[in-house]
Amino acid sequence: TEPTANGSRWSYWQRRIQSWNTTYKLYEKLIRVAQAAVALCYLNQIGTSLQIWYQYNQPFPIWTLPMLPAALLVMFNLYPIPACGVLLTYATVESSMLTARQVMGFFTYGYLYINELMTKKFALLGAIGLIMAQHYNPKGDKPIMAGLLLSSEGESMTQRKSVLMLIGRLLLSSLFLYVGITEISRQADSTVEHDGHAHRRRAEGDGHDYMWYKLMEFALGLPFLVGYKTNWAARMLALVLAIEAMTAWAWWSSKLHVGYVLHAREHFAVNVAVAGGLLMLTHVGVGKYTVDEMLRKKDA
C-alpha cells in the first residue's frame, strides 16, 4: 500500500518513476533489437546472393550494392528513414514480382500457391513501414511515413493511422491463417504411398514439419485478426516465431543438403524479422479498429 507520510510518499513515487523509466529504457532497447532483426533479414539475403555468385559462378547481384549499406544503416540506427526507403523499395518490388508470378500461375494452371516463406516476406513490408513510422526528425519535422501515420499533435492515434494499422493487421493475420490451414492440412497427410511403401513427403529434420508451431501461430492469429488482446497476441506470436527460428530453422546444425541449409537460413532470418515487426506494432500502436477498443469504449 502507498505510505501516508509526506517524505515516505515522495520516496515511494520516486521509486515508482525510476522503475517506470527503467522499464521504458528496456523496452526502447528491445525495439532497437527488433529493428536490427529486420535489417539482419536483408543482410542474410544479401549474403546468400553473394555466396551463390561467388561459389557457383552466377551473375553478380547488382541489387546488393545499394541494399548492403542501407541494411547496415538500419541495423545501427543511422539515417533510418532514407535507409528504410531503400529497403522498402526493394521489398515492394520483390513482393510485386511474387504476386504477379502467383497471379499468372493462377490464370495459367487454375491454382493459387502461397507458401509460408512468401507470407513472411509480405509481412516484412509492414515491419519496414513501422520502423519508418517510429522515427522523428530531431527538429520536430516528421518524415514522410510518420506524417502519413501521425497527426500534428505528436504520437496520438489518427484515423489514417488506424486504417493503415487495420489493413496491415488483417493482411498479416489472414496470410498467417491461410498458411496455417494449408500447412496443418499438408502435415496431416505427411506420407505418400509408392509401390506399396510409405515415404515421408519431406526429409527427416526439415523445418516445415514442426506441427506445433503452425498450430500455435494459427491459434494466436485468430485473436490478432479481430484485435482482441492484440498486444498480447502480437507478443506471443513474436515469441513463437523466435522459438521456431531457433529450433525448426536451426540451419547451423542441419545435416541436409546445402540448398536446404540456405533455405532454412532464410526462414530463420525472416522469422526473426517478422517477430521484430510484431514487437514494433505494439510500440507504434494497433489502431482504433479492434475489439479491444470497442470493449474499452463500452466500459468507459
Side-chain angles (χ1 to χ4, degrees), residues 141-201:
D141 299 325
K142 304 180 190 68
I144 295 174
M145 181 63 73
L148 177 64
L149 296 178
L150 304 171
S151 71
S152 59
E153 292 142 358
E155 297 188 18
S156 59
M157 189 67 65
T158 66
Q159 192 78 9
R160 284 177 296 180
K161 179 180 178 180
S162 293
V163 170
L164 289 174
M165 293 301 102
L166 173 65
I167 293 171
R169 194 181 79 247
L170 292 177
L171 178 62
L172 178 60
S173 55
S174 297
L175 289 170
F176 263 127
L177 295 176
Y178 174 81
V179 171
I181 293 171
T182 56
E183 281 293 304
I184 291 169
S185 301
R186 181 190 64 78
Q187 291 186 47
D189 183 24
S190 59
T191 59
V192 60
E193 293 284 341
H194 182 66
D195 293 335
H197 298 283
H199 302 274
R200 287 176 57 87
R201 292 185 183 275

Side-chain angles (χ1 to χ4, degrees), residues 2-299:
E2 183 181 341
T4 55
N6 289 338
S8 298
R9 184 183 297 114
W10 175 244
S11 177
Y12 168 79
W13 283 111
Q14 277 186 317
R15 290 194 302 271
R16 290 294 298 272
I17 291 171
Q18 185 177 9
S19 174
W20 292 335
N21 189 46
T22 301
T23 303
Y24 177 77
K25 287 181 179 179
L26 288 173
Y27 194 70
E28 284 295 308
K29 289 180 180 178
L30 183 62
I31 293 302
R32 290 289 175 261
V33 171
Q35 177 174 318
V38 176
L40 179 64
C41 177
Y42 286 98
L43 288 173
N44 170 74
Q45 195 168 355
I46 292 166
T48 299
S49 296
L50 292 175
Q51 180 181 350
I52 293 173
W53 161 71
Y54 181 77
Q55 292 183 346
Y56 300 101
N57 197 28
Q58 295 296 310
F60 180 78
I62 195 168
W63 61 269
T64 61
L65 295 178
M67 289 287 289
L68 179 58
L72 289 172
L73 288 172
V74 171
M75 171 165 279
F76 295 106
N77 199 35
L78 300 172
Y79 305 103
I81 297 300
C84 279
V86 175
L87 298 184
L88 186 64
T89 300
Y90 174 79
T92 302
V93 172
E94 184 182 34
S95 299
S96 299
M97 291 176 64
L98 284 171
T99 302
R101 193 179 306 159
Q102 299 312 313
V103 170
M104 289 177 62
F106 175 76
F107 284 109
T108 303
Y109 304 105
Y111 179 69
L112 183 63
Y113 176 69
I114 301 177
N115 63 29
E116 184 179 3
L117 188 58
M118 283 174 54
T119 301
K120 295 172 183 175
K121 282 183 174 292
F122 278 107
L124 285 175
L125 280 169
I128 298 169
L130 288 168
I131 295 174
M132 298 178 73
Q134 70 174 341
H135 284 284
Y136 290 88
N137 190 302
K139 296 180 180 179
D141 299 325
K142 304 180 190 68
I144 295 174
M145 181 63 73
L148 177 64
L149 296 178
L150 304 171
S151 71
S152 59
E153 292 142 358
E155 297 188 18
S156 59
M157 189 67 65
T158 66
Q159 192 78 9
R160 284 177 296 180
K161 179 180 178 180
S162 293
V163 170
L164 289 174
M165 293 301 102
L166 173 65
I167 293 171
R169 194 181 79 247
L170 292 177
L171 178 62
L172 178 60
S173 55
S174 297
L175 289 170
F176 263 127
L177 295 176
Y178 174 81
V179 171
I181 293 171
T182 56
E183 281 293 304
I184 291 169
S185 301
R186 181 190 64 78
Q187 291 186 47
D189 183 24
S190 59
T191 59
V192 60
E193 293 284 341
H194 182 66
D195 293 335
H197 298 283
H199 302 274
R200 287 176 57 87
R201 292 185 183 275
R202 295 187 186 272
E204 190 74 34
D206 192 309
H208 294 92
D209 284 347
Y210 283 71
M211 173 73 86
W212 283 108
Y213 297 123
K214 315 303 179 191
L215 289 172
M216 286 188 285
E217 288 166 14
F218 178 76
L220 290 167
L222 292 172
F224 185 72
L225 171 66
V226 298
Y228 178 67
K229 303 289 185 183
T230 319
N231 285 340
W232 175 85
R235 292 187 184 107
M236 291 303 296
L237 276 169
L239 178 62
V240 171
L241 286 169
I243 296 174
E244 183 186 23
M246 297 298 296
T247 54
W249 303 115
W251 55 271
W252 55 88
S253 60
S254 176
K255 295 180 175 60
L256 299 179
H257 55 86
V258 65
Y260 172 81
V261 171
L262 293 176
H263 181 71
R265 192 171 73 187
E266 186 171 13
H267 264 288
F268 173 87
V270 176
N271 259 48
V272 173
V274 174
L278 287 165
L279 290 177
M280 281 187 286
L281 180 67
T282 67
H283 179 66
V284 176
V286 295
K288 300 176 181 179
Y289 303 112
T290 63
V291 172
D292 291 333
E293 183 67 13
M294 291 172 59
L295 293 175
R296 189 189 67 79
K297 289 182 178 179
K298 184 178 179 181
D299 294 337

